[in-house]
Amino acid sequence: MKSFSGIVKKNNGHFFTVNDQPVILFAAETHNSAGTSDDYMKNVWKKLDELNCNAVLVPVSWESIEPQENYFDFTLLEKLIDSAREHNKKLVLLWFGSWKNGLSTYVPAWIKTDLIRFPRTENEYGIKSRILSMFGSDILQTEIKSFKRLIEYIKKSDEKKQTVIAVQVENEVGILDAVRDFSSPAAEAFEKNVPTELLEYLKETKSDSFMQLLKHLEHTSDRSWKGVFGDRADEIFMCWNYARYINELVTYAKESYALPMFTNVWLKESDYERPGFYPCGGPVPEMIDVWKGGAPCLDFIAPDIYAFEFDRFAGLYARNDNPLFIAETRRDKWSVANLYVAVGKYNTLCYSPFGAESIGENKSFITQILHTNSADKNVSCEMVKEYLSQSYKLLRNMMPVILECYGTDKMTGFSQDAIRMSKHLKLGKYQILIEFYHQIDEENEFIPAAGIIIERDENELLFIGYGYRAYLKTINKGKQLDFLSLEKGFFDQDANWNKYMDLNGDEQHVQMEEKVTILKAKYYEF
Ligand code: DGJ
């Protein structure tokens, strides 16, 4: 039998494999409620086909599969898996369990209404929240049983076909509007010492910020959370406990079926944001190491990048111990450009704008938010859909070529930002100046330009993307560079290069079109 889907480490890169084949997920995530209606999903499948997606991320909530305790209903999931197969898409399921965006809105009614077995977090004034507490609660044991049933169902119905290839565990965990759970059982846990495993892990990783923070331990025997972590104790305490909780869920679930499992994060977008404004306890950049120590069974942590600084945040999560996987991102005009950075520069396992069925619509399909409202980070338009679907098609066709470069220094990706009109890059022996054609601002309708450059061998480069010119020099002293040939073309479905035309004379420049294209350049030095 073919082996499971999974994450494989090769060269310096991570590869997502399905049936032993490496694959990049060119995906989109549906709106939250999509999976609750087979009828509604019809439109979503149509949109995913138009976008040329090979995968889709869809929520499966606890309340939908276990409406009464120990009574499971997988009818909707069965339909979802069947339809995914019909549309030739892989499925990443998002388990909306105890926590979704910090809150606990997706747990079944029998959990919501039983505050004795399933107490809530409390703020420092003793006010209860809509968030389930992990402390002094039956929730972990109860969720383990339910999540395991879900994973067992997936194994039973899908192991042979492997339509479901990964599962996100919870959604953007963390406590909102408080820095910590102040309920009595939580306070009791906070009074205890920091677990030695956490301290050992942080020492071993030698992460700069934690080494600084832990330096004072040489002079004190106080190992309480406050004593060790000072001002950051509340957040680190919550992180550790959420991570341990999720690790338990994953450990038990993987005993049944070892699918790749990950969790996603609501980012702290600026240094001014206080914990609680973003869900406190989630794996925000400064807390990745705490999470890695607490949840070693998770395959990776996936950032939801809605922030404008896509490149910076992607870089923070693309680590040796954490492959990049973009589970959610904007669906506005920046979403196309960011795809090239995610794939070309950070070798992402998955790229997935949020709100699949709203991509290219004037109005968010289901939430009814107008896309013209610039306060909505998801402004979308017809052009976004066109560029995204063209890009997905082109990159999917050449996936083997791209995957050969994963984990190497043979590829780079870049995009235009709102300020600069040019960029300097280095690839192999080439120094590259990229100039963009249009200034981008909120007033005009240009799609920010982007590209990927691949060094196929020392003298052959592929230029992919749109909206830029590239000027190249060699780093070899006293040498100049000239074209041997420049071809315009495309990769067919079998990843074979199809030349469309030769470019020479007036046309012999790396001058990309406004639409997504590929140029293949051969150079020589003299
Ligand atoms: C982030 C959440 O993870 C999604 O489920 C969804 O609520 C989006 N935000 C909406 O922008």
Side-chain angles (χ1 to χ4, degrees):
M1 206 194 70
K2 289 173 182 163
S3 60
F4 291 140
S5 61
I7 314 290
V8 173
K9 238 183 145 181
K10 211 172 80 193
N11 306 328
N12 283 322
H14 293 89
F15 298 82
F16 200 99
T17 60
V18 180
N19 295 339
D20 283 334
Q21 291 302 314
V23 65
I24 304 166
L25 307 183
F26 294 105
E29 180 170 324
T30 67
H31 283 287
N32 294 164
S33 309
T36 63
S37 161
D38 186 39
D39 218 21
Y40 179 91
M41 278 303 290
K42 290 195 174 100
N43 175 57
V44 182
W45 294 117
K46 185 168 164 275
K47 188 53 89 53
L48 294 165
D49 286 339
E50 288 165 5
L51 284 169
N52 294 311
C53 291
N54 59 359
V56 56
L57 284 69
V58 191
V60 174
S61 70
W62 194 350
E63 65 177 359
S64 75
I65 64 157
E66 196 182 1
Q68 288 157 34
E69 192 163 12
N70 296 321
Y71 167 74
F72 289 88
D73 179 356
F74 292 111
T75 324
L76 276 168
L77 181 56
E78 189 186 345
K79 288 198 175 125
L80 189 70
I81 296 177
D82 283 348
S83 307
R85 286 180 190 149
E86 268 166 43
H87 289 267
N88 208 11
K89 309 267 178 279
K90 294 295 177 190
L91 267 175
V92 175
L93 295 177
L94 316 174
W95 169 242
F96 285 8
S98 286
W99 300 288
K100 152 71 171 82
N101 296 26
L103 303 178
S104 300
T105 50
Y106 280 90
V107 294
W110 53 269
I111 290 186
K112 280 186 189 151
T113 50
D114 189 345
L115 274 79
I116 307 293
R117 276 174 75 199
F118 309 111
R120 307 298 176 82
T121 66
E122 288 175 28
N123 69 12
E124 42 200 319
Y125 309 107
I127 310 287
K128 289 189 199 314
S129 72
R130 289 199 289 158
I131 306 168
L132 288 174
S133 174
M134 305 171 257
F135 303 95
S137 171
D138 282 353
I139 194 65
L140 175 59
Q141 290 316 319
T142 312
E143 189 169 8
I144 286 174
K145 273 200 286 172
S146 308
F147 186 55
K148 208 169 152 62
R149 279 292 288 270
L150 169 69
I151 300 299
E152 279 164 0
Y153 174 81
I154 297 170
K155 179 183 161 89
K156 192 174 90 206
S157 61
D158 191 53
E159 191 180 18
K160 283 204 187 96
K161 299 206 169 149
Q162 295 192 32
T163 312
V164 179
I165 53 165
V167 176
Q168 178 187 294
V169 189
E170 312 291 354
N171 189 87
E172 296 186 344
V173 293
I175 180 166
L176 279 169
D177 300 326
V179 288
R180 158 163 81 80
D181 184 356
F182 288 88
S183 62
S184 318
E188 224 172 86
F190 188 68
E191 288 314 313
K192 295 199 175 125
N193 279 354
V194 174
T196 40
E197 319 157 59
L198 172 58
L199 291 177
E200 289 305 315
Y201 183 84
L202 294 178
K203 276 185 208 151
E204 261 168 45
T205 57
K206 297 201 171 39
S207 103
D208 287 349
S209 58
F210 283 106
M211 291 310 279
Q212 278 304 105
L213 200 65
L214 299 180
K215 234 175 166 180
H216 72 108
L217 294 187
E218 289 160 16
H219 312 291
T220 168
S221 58
D222 182 357
R223 294 291 181 266
S224 67
W225 288 88
K226 226 36 219 173
V228 173
F229 295 117
D231 288 349
R232 299 174 73 188
D234 295 320
E235 184 167 15
I236 296 173
F237 169 79
M238 291 308 290
C239 280
W240 176 254
N241 283 290
Y242 277 119
R244 296 308 291 159
Y245 183 107
I246 287 188
N247 197 59
E248 287 288 287
L249 281 184
V250 170
T251 306
Y252 282 103
K254 282 193 177 187
E255 277 173 7
S256 301
Y257 188 31
L259 283 171
M261 295 190 191
F262 66 100
T263 202
N264 63 335
V265 49
W266 170 333
L267 291 175
K268 171 184 177 180
E269 291 190 4
S270 92
D271 289 344
Y272 301 106
E273 286 181 12
R274 308 313 311 155
F277 178 76
Y278 61 89
C280 179
V284 295
E286 303 98 297
M287 296 293 143
I288 296 176
D289 287 321
V290 177
W291 267 79
K292 287 280 169 193
C297 293
L298 276 180
D299 290 271
F300 51 86
I301 294 165
D304 292 345
I305 312 184
Y306 291 92
F308 276 111
E309 297 167 287
F310 183 90
D311 195 327
R312 183 169 79 82
F313 282 109
L316 290 170
Y317 284 85
R319 311 178 358 154
N320 278 338
D321 61 355
N322 196 71
L324 186 66
F325 184 109
I326 305 291
E328 287 182 43
T329 190
R330 317 162 70 93
R331 60 173 173 276
D332 66 357
K333 61 184 175 186
W334 296 100
S335 69
V336 187
N338 292 338
L339 162 70
Y340 289 79
V341 175
V343 173
K345 187 167 176 185
Y346 295 114
N347 303 176
T348 195
L349 305 180
C350 170
Y351 188 78
S352 166
F354 178 80
E357 59 272 45
S358 295
I359 294 173
E361 305 289 331
N362 293 330
K363 200 158 134 176
S364 175
F365 207 82
I366 192 165
T367 62
Q368 298 296 310
I369 297 172
L370 275 179
H371 281 155
T372 44
N373 172 5
S374 58
D376 176 9
K377 290 177 172 179
N378 284 315
V379 284
S380 191
C381 63
E382 189 55 38
M383 237 193 324
V384 173
K385 183 178 159 203
E386 199 181 304
Y387 272 75
L388 196 63
S389 58
Q390 282 172 11
S391 301
Y392 272 9
K393 182 172 175 198
L394 178 143
L395 296 175
R396 274 182 70 180
N397 279 355
M398 61 181 300
M399 195 144 68
V401 179
I402 294 174
L403 282 166
E404 251 173 55
C405 302
Y406 265 36
T408 74
D409 55 4
K410 303 277 177 219
M411 175 168 73
T412 186
F414 58 90
S415 70
Q416 178 171 15
D417 59 41
I419 305 163
R420 281 167 302 171
M421 290 290 288
S422 65
K423 240 171 203 172
H424 290 274
L425 306 171
K426 202 182 157 301
L427 186 66
K429 66 173 182 183
Y430 300 96
Q431 279 174 336
I432 309 171
L433 167 66
I434 302 288
E435 277 183 7
F436 301 108
Y437 298 155
H438 311 288
Q439 182 84 46
I440 302 297
D441 57 46
E442 292 312 319
E443 305 301 311
N444 67 38
E445 295 207 322
F446 294 115
I447 290 265
I452 290 175
I453 306 176
I454 293 178
E455 186 192 7
R456 294 209 83 184
D457 67 43
E458 205 195 344
N459 296 313
E460 184 178 312
L461 298 185
L462 289 173
F463 296 88
I464 302 141
Y466 56 94
Y468 67 91
R469 257 179 232 106
Y471 300 98
L472 280 81
K473 282 185 184 163
T474 166
I475 53 169
N476 292 331
K477 286 231 163 63
K479 297 279 185 190
Q480 295 187 53
L481 212 56
D482 193 14
F483 288 105
L484 271 182
S485 64
L486 183 63
E487 295 176 8
K488 183 173 156 177
F490 59 94
F491 286 91
D492 62 22
Q493 284 187 344
D494 300 319
N496 294 317
W497 175 248
N498 281 243
K499 182 169 79 175
Y500 172 68
M501 70 197 302
D502 285 306
L503 300 174
N504 205 337
D506 293 349
E507 289 80 45
Q508 205 180 53
H509 303 282
V510 178
Q511 191 150 281
M512 307 304 285
E513 296 181 21
E514 297 279 359
K515 65 178 202 304
V516 184
T517 37
I518 310 183
L519 295 179
K520 179 160 108 176
K522 284 198 174 150
Y523 295 96
Y524 71 100
E525 288 184 359
F526 63 96

